[in-house]
Amino acid sequence: MRAWIGFLLAAALALAVPAGARAQLAGDTSLTAPPVAPPLKKGSPLDHLTNDPKLDQLPIGYSEGQTGGVPFFVAHRAVDTDGGMGWGWVRKSDDDWSDGRWIALQEQPGLAVAPFRKLKTRDGDDNWEFKFWGHYAAYKAYDPHLDELLPVFVLQGYQVIGPAAPLNRLVGPPDRPHSRGSNASSRPGSPIETNHNID
Amino acid sequence: MRLLPIVLSLLLLGSLAVQAQPGEHIVLTGGPALRFMEHGKDASHDFYWFNFVDASTIWLNQIKSTAAPGDLITWLVYKPAYVSRSNELGLNLVAQIVDKARALNVNLLFFDTKDQLINYLNKGQDRGRMKIVSFDYFGHSNKACFLFDYSNTIDTMSICFLHVIDLKHIHGRDFARNAVCKSWGCHSGELYSKWWKDEFDVAMTGAVGKTDFSHGGLPALSDANCRWSQ
């Protein structure tokens, strides 16, 4: 009987080994220095972004990408004061702002990128308006800062209209719970409440 | 009383048989941001394009040294982010990943969408026989989401992710009861681990706070205030 118990104990210990081995593995980080990036490709979007001089404000009428023709969209840049990364409002040219949608802007480096890329600051075009050409994507974007899903506008080109008065609308998608406190979730059924760190 | 040793040994043999059944080790790797999107930010991510890949290959190598005979080791990689970062860098990162998988002799599968990933987890193997015995995630995350795409298609956002709400689409029977799971990304221990446990009845270790991939190798907790949790 004792022999059987001893055998069982030994077998149980043997079965416990994998978890122990894995705990040891986690300690080995095998640090190595990452390699150095190759030089920037001359004329690439990243080269332009890095090296082109930055402006204080956008020139009225400046255009970029594929512009012209109808239909076009009217876009109102609005920095999200709640900490989200949505770009602003977009409406069809013959709609009212009440029909505007709070969007995530999908840039196309090499064709058309967000107007603020030309500016010294990312919010330097706050409350500026633009003509946009492009389309809505079939997918949505997840904003990890606010746990929100936003419609995606794929930018093909834009033209600067100029500064405008702030819109009389709360920033963010319609399901953002502005009226609730900080413990409110920003998505129906969403588990996130506050502190939307991401890395 | 004389039957007791026989009963116990039968039980033991049964448990050994379960243990001896081959299982699948899964390493899931998200993609890097584009430098175009991250340029000029105070907290700028992914200077190094293979921070997640290098950590994954180190871990895969270690899994290989401890995996049971017959175990399958599968590396799932979100491909579109590496295609676009390749275009930005002027390197073929996808080919490099293929070479790394070949050198490690692991089963490499690229995925483009969340549905492809979930489909593999549920149906990529006969889950009645081949359970997932370990699962490790290397990539961007917040506490509620694995972000396979992050700041790559859209600045600071994601178009391919696995939110805790999506976990219900993954079958609990995919996992062995003693599966060992870990997210090496940031903040997973603050919420994701709980949802994972609730959904699959399997613990997932995750970070409370940030993890740091920037020094190469396996990520470490960012500072003394961070910790691993389940």
Side-chain angles (χ1 to χ4, degrees):
Chain A
M1 185 65 183
R2 272 189 203 161
W4 276 105
I5 292 171
F7 173 65
L8 289 170
L9 281 173
L13 281 172
L15 288 176
V17 164
R22 173 154 171 136
Q24 283 184 342
L25 290 181
D28 179 6
T29 57
S30 303
L31 290 177
T32 51
V36 177
L40 275 181
K41 286 189 284 185
K42 217 59 184 152
S44 68
L46 186 53
D47 178 37
H48 282 298
L49 183 67
T50 307
N51 296 316
D52 287 356
K54 294 288 188 282
L55 308 174
D56 287 319
Q57 67 176 41
L58 292 158
I60 308 290
Y62 171 80
S63 63
E64 181 173 308
Q66 295 172 354
T67 60
V70 288
F72 64 89
F73 296 81
V74 178
H76 186 108
R77 170 81 162 128
V79 174
D80 190 338
T81 49
D82 291 338
M85 298 309 295
W87 181 88
W89 303 99
V90 170
R91 63 171 171 84
K92 289 179 183 169
S93 55
D94 51 357
D95 281 347
D96 298 324
W97 278 118
S98 59
D99 298 316
R101 300 173 77 184
W102 181 256
I103 58 117
L105 187 66
Q106 182 171 333
E107 304 166 83
Q108 299 197 71
L111 176 62
V113 299
F116 69 73
R117 300 285 184 197
K118 292 210 152 309
L119 299 174
K120 289 178 178 170
T121 60
R122 293 172 66 91
D123 59 358
D125 57 350
D126 192 20
N127 286 314
W128 277 56
E129 289 191 352
F130 306 86
K131 287 182 179 177
F132 268 13
W133 286 266
H135 62 275
Y136 283 101
Y139 43 84
K140 290 195 170 185
Y142 174 72
D143 183 345
H145 302 83
L146 294 180
D147 197 40
E148 288 177 342
L149 290 173
L150 303 182
V152 173
F153 188 89
V154 182
L155 185 67
Q156 290 180 322
Y158 72 86
Q159 183 178 56
V160 179
I161 296 174
L167 296 183
N168 187 24
R169 295 190 63 171
L170 292 172
V171 298
D175 56 349
R176 183 182 293 179
H178 291 281
S179 57
R180 286 184 266 163
S182 60
N183 285 331
S185 168
S186 53
R187 287 173 67 191
S190 164
I192 282 206
E193 295 175 343
T194 57
N195 184 17
H196 316 295
N197 294 324
I198 186 264
D199 208 353
Chain B
M1 188 63 187
R2 244 190 278 168
L3 287 176
L4 182 62
I6 296 168
V7 171
L8 287 174
S9 56
L10 283 174
L11 285 172
L12 175 64
L13 286 172
S15 72
L16 283 171
V18 168
Q19 185 72 17
Q21 196 168 9
E24 184 175 23
H25 301 266
I26 287 184
V27 171
L28 174 61
T29 305
L34 287 186
R35 290 307 307 155
F36 181 88
M37 302 296 178
E38 293 294 295
H39 177 77
K41 292 180 180 174
D42 290 338
S44 186
H45 295 96
D46 304 340
F47 285 96
Y48 178 44
W49 50 96
F50 266 169
N51 49 4
F52 301 136
V53 165
D54 281 1
S56 300
T57 55
I58 290 167
W59 192 247
L60 284 163
N61 210 25
Q62 297 193 8
I63 287 174
K64 278 189 70 179
S65 66
T66 55
D71 278 3
L72 182 63
I73 302 175
T74 300
W75 187 15
L76 298 167
V77 180
Y78 179 66
K79 186 176 181 180
Y82 291 97
V83 172
S84 53
R85 187 70 184 256
S86 293
N87 292 335
E88 185 178 70
L89 268 174
L91 300 173
N92 189 341
L93 301 179
V94 174
Q96 290 184 27
I97 292 170
V98 171
D99 288 344
K100 287 173 186 288
R102 192 171 291 142
L104 285 163
N105 194 26
V106 299
N107 179 33
L108 171 66
L109 292 171
F110 288 112
F111 67 98
D112 294 344
T113 67
K114 169 171 53 188
D115 288 345
Q116 288 175 350
L117 171 68
I118 292 172
N119 190 52
Y120 180 79
L121 295 176
N122 288 339
K123 298 175 182 173
Q125 302 293 332
D126 176 359
R127 293 299 177 206
R129 292 163 172 257
M130 180 68 78
K131 301 287 188 187
I132 298 168
V133 292
S134 78
F135 177 96
D136 291 270
Y137 173 63
F138 296 88
H140 287 290
S141 54
N142 68 0
K143 66 181 181 181
C145 213
F146 290 169
L147 305 163
F148 311 126
D149 167 283
Y150 173 70
S151 214
N152 188 294
T153 310
I154 299 174
D155 192 340
T156 326
M157 295 202 191
S158 177
I159 63 162
C160 187
F161 51 87
L162 191 69
H163 197 276
V164 289
I165 291 170
D166 299 317
L167 293 180
K168 62 178 179 286
H169 300 299
I170 300 171
H171 303 150
R173 64 177 171 80
D174 297 347
F175 294 89
R177 292 180 66 182
N178 60 347
V180 182
C181 304
K182 182 169 183 174
S183 165
W184 297 80
C186 300
H187 304 293
S188 296
E190 297 167 25
L191 191 77
Y192 213 94
S193 294
K194 180 184 183 308
W195 279 62
W196 188 274
K197 173 73 174 170
D198 289 349
E199 199 65 48
F200 308 133
D201 200 21
V202 168
M204 167 181 273
T205 301
V208 176
K210 289 189 174 187
T211 57
D212 185 359
F213 285 79
S214 65
H215 301 296
L218 289 174
L221 294 171
S222 287
D223 59 55
N225 295 320
C226 304
R227 61 185 166 84
W228 296 108
S229 175
Q230 287 189 338

